[in-house]
Amino acid sequence: KTVVMRRWGRSLLCSCRAAPAAGLRGVSTLRGAPSVPKRCPAPVVRVPERAMATAKVTFVDSVGTRSTVEGNLGESLLDVAHRHDVDIEGACGGELACSTCHITMSQEWYDKVLALNSKTEEEDDMLDLAWGLTETSRLGCQVLLHKDLDGLEVQIPDETDNMMP
C-alpha cells in the first residue's frame, strides 16, 4: 500500500496539513488518497506505508472497552481514531471548531502530551464547552502522535455536545 504525499523542501505534506514526524518529516496519512488538490504546487511523492514510523494508542470508551491501534507519527489522535473506526465524533473534522473529540488521560500521559503538543488558547476555549472536563482533558484533533507517545492511553468520555449546525 502506498500513501501519496507532496514534497515541499525537505518535508512531506499531506493534502490537509504538514505533520512533523520522526524519520520522515511532515508525514501524515492523506485523506482521500491518491487524489491531491491541484492548488498545491509541490511534486507528488509516493511513500510506502510500511516505511512510515508508527506509535500505538489505546482508546478506552465509557464502558471500558479498549481499542489498541497504530497511528502514523504526526497524525492526530482524531484521525487515528477515525481511520480505525474508534467511536469518537469530531464533528468539525479536526478544525478546532467544536469539542466533540474531547479525550482525557492520566496525569503522566498528559504531561508527556503537553510537552510535545502545546495547548493553545483556542483549544482551551473549545474545551470549556466539553462535557466531563478534567485537568487532563485535550482535544484529539490537537494531539499529534510522536515516537515518545508510543503506548499512549486515552479515555473517551461518554457524552459530547455537538453544537455544529
Side-chain angles (χ1 to χ4, degrees), residues 107-117 148-150 152:
Q107 186 66 51
E108 179 184 352
W109 278 118
Y110 180 82
D111 293 340
K112 288 180 184 179
V113 166
L114 192 59
L116 298 166
N117 297 274
D148 294 338
L149 297 180
D150 188 39
L152 174 64

Side-chain angles (χ1 to χ4, degrees), residues 75-145:
E75 191 174 18
S76 76
L77 291 182
L78 177 63
D79 289 341
V80 172
H82 283 175
R83 192 161 47 84
H84 291 285
D85 297 321
V86 174
D87 191 19
I88 186 169
E89 189 170 348
C92 71
E95 297 297 324
L96 193 55
C98 73
S99 63
T100 60
C101 64
H102 171 227
I103 54 174
T104 62
M105 59 199 76
S106 71
Q107 186 66 51
E108 179 184 352
W109 278 118
Y110 180 82
D111 293 340
K112 288 180 184 179
V113 166
L114 192 59
L116 298 166
N117 297 274
S118 59
K119 191 189 282 189
T120 64
E121 187 176 331
E122 292 84 2
E123 182 180 3
D124 269 335
D125 290 345
M126 285 296 112
L127 281 169
D128 286 341
L129 305 174
W131 289 83
L133 186 65
T134 71
E135 290 295 318
T136 61
S137 289
R138 291 297 304 263
L139 295 179
C141 66
Q142 297 303 298
V143 177
L144 300 180
L145 278 181

